[in-house]
Amino acid sequence: MNELNNKKICWSFPSSNFSGLNGSNNPGSEHFKDDIVLSLAREICQNSLDARKDKNEPVIVEFKSFELDRNIFPGFEEFYDVILKQIEFARENYKNDDSTLNFYLNAKRILDNDKIYCLRISDFNTTGLTGSNNPISSNWMNLVKNVGVSDKSSTSGGSFGIGKFASFAFSKLYTVFYNTISVDGLMASQGVAKLSSYKKDDGDITLGVGYYGLEEKLDRIPYTFDLDPSFKRKELGTDIFILGFDNHNEQWKDKIIAAIIDNFMLSIIDNKLIVKIDGNRDISKENLKDIFLEKYEKNKNLYNEYTKNYFEILLTSNYECHKFYYSMFQENDAELTLAVDTNMKNRVAIIRNNGMKIFDKSNLPKIAFYSGILQLKGEVINSFFRKMENPQHDGWSVNRHTDEKEADKRQRELFEFIRKSIRELVETTSPESVDAEGVGEFLPDDMDIGTNEEATNESITDKIEKELEVKEINSIINKSDISYEEKNGITNSNDGLEINDGEDNVIIGGDNHNDENGGSGSITNGTTTEEGINNVIKEQLINSAKYRCFYSNGIYNFIFKTTETLNDVKLHIEISGEQTNKKTNILFAKRDKKPFNKSLKFEKNIIYLGNINPGENNKIIFKLDEKEEWSLEVKMYADKK
């Protein structure tokens, strides 16, 4: 407990006035716990970019771990006493759930150490948190005290006022200290602990949240803390000190680097952002390429699976990139960059004007292998689509917009621009690749959810009532030709293929996977020659079969019948590309025929079916060694009797 001009400085935990308990599962922090590092990196850098002071210079954000001597921990004895009371309260009142008790027991173990691990996050070339002397509404109050309040400009990133909870989710004490020197000439610091309710010595039940600062009006302290021994704030900007940060796992640095590159690659390339991470090289425009190649090769799993494609478009000359522009509210306020290559994964990154990625757009035409980057460039378009963002800022929902009908219209308009540009690019670069029957079909707009798949699962299992009958079995199967099942049932056929709704249950498991010997499945109704694949070219390509194909949860259901008897039938399955097809590997294959299913022999991209009788309905279930759903080209080879 300290004093400032006869004003007491201490920890204060306001009374709830018996209005009810607040538990340890803070709803604000829970928003960000699915991926704490990702959430922290996104929220911090977004807020710093919003507060950029000199638009000609980059914002600098620094993540630095340090050890805090508990003797320097502001109000340590008071805080320690609160943790002891929390333990006592949890033991008395939470009989069936020990999560709250365990949290405070762990907090006590942390505080019992002489040193407490902490993380300092500082920004530079920002305005700082202005209005720290305003007790109602200001940038300072909105970050430190207010809940669900945001008064940012229409083009700023944060708009929900809950992004600050990401820092608390990163703390094993749920405790954060703030520092700022702002452009309005003010300095301020304050500690905030978002704990649960407990009983004080006088019998009062607290709200749970506590503040370290002036006891009077729970006010901030009008100077800055020096919690990190190696750092003292001297210039404009803000510091966030996360107490109880677990840095025993050194991979936290690589995780933050990955999160920064995944989400702010364009900000860095445009020299809007430089990030320093605990002794690593600065992530800047000059060395982003080297850092990414080095870190990505060491641990690809830390990165979004589409980031490599975006990196290749933005920072290499490996591919010819094509620019497309669209004017929605202002001239050329949407800019799309596309590149085509068989290594690309058919995603387009949706990026704000400040260079931060919102999500990866899927449900796009599968007529080629490509990747792209769509940047919202104008102020009006950024303001409009910001109103559709979720609290994590990684997805859009038209329901969040104040004008839902207009939002739906504009989102469809934007996504159709992307599709149209893809079609135009493919037709221009390889016109012969789009002449095949059915290739020009695309997914309907009602499949467009516009969310980050990792965060909100942009569903690909919505049922599509579109079916295509193709008599030439060696034609391309487009994603739009594949009917999606809501469960395991298949829609009734109207072309003579008799399929019962709901009777086809696919179970993936066992040992039905591919291996060096061509999988563990057995040959049914026929044999194959020792020449294996090489023998295929001596057989006839069959063009007389009728087929339909369904896709559900990673499983392809291929249904066909022929008008003639075929021996030693083989299906060749390839992913269709705009110029050349891509080989794939089959993970398992079964013949689905009641009352029993039979495993089929498969090798690489070939399934061996044995003999097929005329007029017989045949259903083959198979899975590919690909995460995505692709346009397929299927060729059937066989001997004819």
Side-chain angles (χ1 to χ4, degrees), residues 5-35:
N5 297 329
N6 296 321
K7 292 182 179 180
K8 186 187 296 184
I9 300 175
C10 60
W11 278 102
S12 300
F13 288 82
S15 170
S16 68
N17 197 24
F18 299 96
S19 60
L21 299 179
N22 288 315
S24 60
N25 295 318
N26 188 289
S29 300
E30 292 298 319
H31 270 291
F32 302 99
K33 282 189 174 179
D34 287 342
D35 191 331

Side-chain angles (χ1 to χ4, degrees), residues 55 60 63 80 209 297 346 351 361 392 528 535 575 612:
K55 305 302 181 183
I60 298 175
F63 294 80
Y80 191 85
V209 63
E297 289 305 317
N346 292 38
I351 296 181
K361 178 72 183 79
Q392 292 85 359
T528 57
N535 187 55
I575 295 175
I612 301 296

Side-chain angles (χ1 to χ4, degrees), residues 325-342:
Y325 297 92
Y326 187 70
S327 300
M328 181 173 287
F329 298 103
Q330 299 167 297
E331 185 176 1
N332 296 337
D333 54 2
E335 177 184 295
L336 175 63
T337 305
L338 288 171
V340 178
D341 186 81
T342 54

Side-chain angles (χ1 to χ4, degrees), residues 466-526:
K466 179 180 177 63
E467 300 175 10
L468 180 68
E469 179 182 312
V470 180
K471 293 186 177 181
E472 292 188 357
I473 200 72
N474 61 319
S475 295
I476 294 175
I477 302 174
N478 294 294
K479 182 178 175 184
S480 59
D481 304 335
I482 298 175
S483 295
Y484 292 80
E485 309 168 48
E486 289 181 306
K487 296 181 181 178
N488 292 316
I490 296 182
T491 54
N492 287 325
S493 168
N494 58 9
D495 62 0
L497 296 176
E498 298 176 0
I499 304 151
N500 296 323
D501 287 340
E503 73 173 14
D504 302 288
N505 293 315
V506 181
I507 299 176
I508 303 173
D511 296 323
N512 295 318
H513 57 80
N514 204 1
D515 55 31
E516 293 180 355
N517 297 319
S520 59
S522 59
I523 303 173
T524 61
N525 299 328

Side-chain angles (χ1 to χ4, degrees), residues 243-513:
L243 276 59
F245 160 67
D246 182 6
N247 73 339
H248 286 88
N249 182 1
E250 282 297 305
Q251 199 179 50
W252 74 267
K253 300 177 188 178
D254 288 334
K255 285 183 177 180
I256 289 185
I257 291 172
I260 296 295
I261 294 176
D262 277 342
N263 293 279
F264 295 95
M265 184 183 295
L266 196 54
S267 299
I268 296 167
I269 291 172
D270 289 344
N271 201 33
K272 295 177 180 177
L273 177 66
I274 294 175
V275 181
K276 303 171 180 285
I277 300 177
D278 212 19
N280 285 261
R281 285 178 295 165
D282 296 353
I283 307 177
S284 65
K285 177 181 180 181
E286 289 72 26
N287 59 19
L288 175 60
K289 182 176 180 180
D290 292 339
I291 290 176
F292 175 77
L293 291 174
E294 173 191 330
K295 298 291 185 180
Y296 184 82
E297 289 305 317
K298 286 183 179 179
N299 199 338
K300 296 180 177 66
N301 293 331
L302 294 181
Y303 291 81
N304 180 293
E305 62 182 305
Y306 312 116
T307 297
K308 181 69 179 298
N309 288 163
Y310 305 145
F311 164 80
E312 290 168 336
I313 290 174
L314 293 170
L315 285 176
T316 73
S317 57
N318 297 340
Y319 308 106
E320 182 181 0
C321 295
H322 302 262
K323 295 277 190 181
F324 299 86
Y325 297 92
Y326 187 70
S327 300
M328 181 173 287
F329 298 103
Q330 299 167 297
E331 185 176 1
N332 296 337
D333 54 2
E335 177 184 295
L336 175 63
T337 305
L338 288 171
V340 178
D341 186 81
T342 54
N343 292 319
M344 292 184 169
K345 296 180 180 287
N346 292 38
R347 291 294 188 275
V348 170
I350 308 297
I351 296 181
R352 277 209 216 103
N353 189 44
N354 67 4
M356 175 179 165
K357 185 180 78 169
I358 305 301
F359 62 93
D360 304 293
K361 178 72 183 79
S362 64
N363 292 338
L364 296 171
K366 294 297 176 70
I367 58 174
F369 301 105
Y370 56 84
S371 285
I373 295 167
L374 176 75
Q375 187 174 15
L376 306 179
K377 306 280 284 189
E379 291 187 7
V380 180
I381 195 172
N382 272 275
S383 174
F384 185 88
F385 283 98
R386 191 199 73 163
K387 296 175 183 177
M388 294 165 55
E389 290 180 16
N390 59 17
Q392 292 85 359
H393 305 290
D394 59 6
W396 287 342
S397 172
V398 297
N399 298 327
R400 293 184 176 277
H401 202 283
T402 52
D403 188 340
E404 184 176 335
K405 184 176 180 180
E406 182 69 11
D408 181 63
K409 172 188 172 184
R410 294 296 187 180
Q411 178 176 264
R412 289 173 182 268
E413 185 181 336
L414 187 67
F415 290 164
E416 179 54 31
F417 160 64
I418 297 174
R419 293 196 188 97
K420 182 179 179 181
S421 301
I422 292 168
R423 292 194 292 265
E424 181 181 332
L425 175 61
V426 174
E427 290 169 0
T428 302
T429 57
S430 182
E432 70 276 8
S433 68
V434 295
D435 291 335
E437 183 175 1
V439 171
E441 298 297 326
F442 297 88
L443 288 172
D445 283 336
D446 58 12
M447 290 286 288
D448 290 318
I449 298 176
T451 55
N452 188 326
E453 293 168 311
E454 279 59 41
T456 50
N457 296 323
E458 184 173 0
S459 174
I460 60 170
T461 60
D462 293 344
K463 187 174 180 181
I464 301 176
E465 297 292 348
K466 179 180 177 63
E467 300 175 10
L468 180 68
E469 179 182 312
V470 180
K471 293 186 177 181
E472 292 188 357
I473 200 72
N474 61 319
S475 295
I476 294 175
I477 302 174
N478 294 294
K479 182 178 175 184
S480 59
D481 304 335
I482 298 175
S483 295
Y484 292 80
E485 309 168 48
E486 289 181 306
K487 296 181 181 178
N488 292 316
I490 296 182
T491 54
N492 287 325
S493 168
N494 58 9
D495 62 0
L497 296 176
E498 298 176 0
I499 304 151
N500 296 323
D501 287 340
E503 73 173 14
D504 302 288
N505 293 315
V506 181
I507 299 176
I508 303 173
D511 296 323
N512 295 318
H513 57 80

